[in-house]
Amino acid sequence: MAAVYDEIEIEDLTFLPEEQMFTYPCPCGDRFEILLDDMLDGENIAVCPSCSLMIDVIYEPEDLAEFCQQVGMDNSGSIGITA
């Protein structure tokens, strides 16, 4: 596996509920991206679509609960149906 550029705490990322994605500024001018679904599956590497840099996102699985609530899904990744 390639080396990561940096390790970033989940609290330092920006969550975009409409895209269900976390982002973080990349030195190239674009942004690192990682999907909430990927994080629920245990993924922790966010990549920049414009360059080869990657960051390691530091989080615990329970940290994702609040973001799941924002988009209406349970922690398993299933979309919740509300009455």
Side-chain angles (χ1 to χ4, degrees):
M1 178 163 180
V4 295
Y5 170 72
D6 204 353
E7 294 182 347
I8 307 295
E9 298 281 339
I10 192 171
E11 297 85 19
D12 296 326
L13 276 69
T14 300
F15 183 61
L16 306 172
E18 60 281 349
E19 298 177 37
Q20 297 183 16
M21 178 190 307
F22 292 87
T23 66
Y24 189 79
C26 180
C28 80
D30 203 347
R31 63 186 186 182
F32 297 101
E33 300 176 343
I34 187 168
L35 294 172
L36 176 58
D37 278 343
D38 292 339
M39 294 176 80
L40 289 168
D41 289 339
E43 180 62 51
N44 67 324
I45 301 296
V47 297
C48 176
S50 296
C51 71
S52 61
L53 294 178
M54 300 179 286
I55 57 171
D56 185 359
V57 180
I58 308 300
Y59 71 98
E60 296 295 326
E62 57 269 13
D63 295 338
L64 301 176
E66 69 179 275
F67 303 106
C68 289
Q69 289 176 343
Q70 286 183 39
V71 298
M73 61 168 62
D74 61 27
N75 283 16
S76 69
S78 301
I79 302 262
I81 306 297
T82 56

